[in-house]
Amino acid sequence: MKNFKKILFILIFILIAFIGGMFFANKQTEPEITSTLIQNRIEQASDLVTTKYHYTKVGKFENSLNLNGWSIPLTNKYFILTFEGEIQLGTDLSKANVEINDSTIHVTVDKPAVISNVIDESSIEVYDETKNIFNPISVSDYKAFALEQKDKALSEAKEKGLMKTAQENTKKSIKDIVSIIPNTDDYTIKVTFKE
């Protein structure tokens, strides 16, 4: 009977040691939440494109030769174009700053900026183009017009709240990136933008 108690005691002790070892082993394999860990995960996303704005425009180009501020007759040239383009806004996450205070993860990033503003060349259609022999339309006219139209499209998009939308999308994307990291469920994630 004494031997049975000793064997039972030894088995219980081994079982407790085994369960305790498994518990602590699991605890050690879970990553500790540090600002460096989170910053590394965020930086892996690199240039984060958060907002795309598609536009369709009609624009008219017109000019004529001038002499001392006077328009020279019969030198007027113009064309009308329709085209499509896309503006992409995003944030460079390699410059992110991460701090952890109590149960809050603070992520500070640059404000979203324009990554690209491109006119789809295959969408360009020319209407009502003049064939003026005194002032012919040149490739530089098309290039200058395209730059002007892209700037106009960007200004219109900003007036419609594109930058605010990009900021909201950036916050959501960063929160999604951080929340994928194990053991961040108990943390509040706050994203702010550098001034």
Side-chain angles (χ1 to χ4, degrees):
M1 190 69 171
K2 279 186 175 182
N3 286 342
F4 178 73
K5 285 182 181 178
K6 283 182 183 178
I7 292 171
L8 186 61
F9 177 76
I10 290 170
L11 286 174
I12 291 172
F13 179 77
I14 291 171
L15 184 62
I16 291 171
F18 178 75
I19 291 171
M22 291 295 289
F23 177 76
F24 287 113
N26 284 342
K27 281 284 186 187
Q28 289 173 355
T29 58
E30 291 175 356
E32 183 184 345
I33 301 303
T34 63
S35 57
T36 306
L37 170 71
I38 292 169
Q39 189 150 350
N40 288 340
R41 292 289 176 91
I42 289 173
E43 286 177 357
Q44 287 173 5
S46 190
D47 286 334
L48 177 68
V49 175
T50 58
T51 307
K52 293 181 181 181
Y53 178 82
H54 188 82
Y55 57 87
T56 302
K57 304 276 294 169
V58 176
K60 182 177 182 179
F61 172 88
E62 185 172 15
N63 86 346
S64 58
L65 296 177
N66 290 299
L67 182 64
N68 294 328
W70 292 87
S71 180
I72 301 172
L74 304 175
T75 63
N76 191 42
K77 64 179 173 181
Y78 63 88
F79 57 83
I80 297 172
L81 289 182
T82 61
F83 55 91
E84 295 179 16
E86 186 178 77
I87 300 169
Q88 292 188 352
L89 281 84
T91 305
D92 181 1
L93 295 183
S94 67
K95 298 175 183 176
N97 184 29
V98 178
E99 292 179 8
I100 299 175
N101 297 326
D102 299 324
S103 61
T104 303
I105 298 169
H106 296 275
V107 181
T108 308
V109 294
D110 289 341
K111 288 181 179 177
V114 177
I115 292 174
S116 68
N117 182 1
V118 180
I119 291 175
D120 179 7
E121 291 184 16
S122 66
S123 71
I124 297 172
E125 291 188 34
V126 182
Y127 299 94
D128 201 20
E129 183 179 33
T130 58
K131 308 286 186 196
N132 192 318
I133 58 170
F134 301 111
N135 187 15
I137 295 170
S138 66
V139 172
S140 62
D141 291 330
Y142 287 116
K143 286 183 178 176
F145 179 74
L147 282 173
E148 181 186 318
Q149 293 303 308
K150 287 197 286 188
D151 288 343
K152 277 186 181 177
L154 181 57
S155 295
E156 288 173 10
K158 285 180 177 178
E159 285 174 17
K160 292 178 181 176
L162 182 65
M163 300 309 285
K164 186 176 180 183
T165 301
Q167 288 186 359
E168 293 305 313
N169 290 348
T170 300
K171 285 181 180 180
K172 183 182 181 309
S173 298
I174 291 172
K175 287 178 181 180
D176 289 346
I177 291 168
V178 174
S179 64
I180 291 171
I181 301 170
N183 302 324
T184 55
D185 299 342
D186 296 331
Y187 287 86
T188 302
I189 304 162
K190 288 192 176 177
V191 180
T192 54
F193 296 99
K194 297 175 185 175
E195 293 301 323

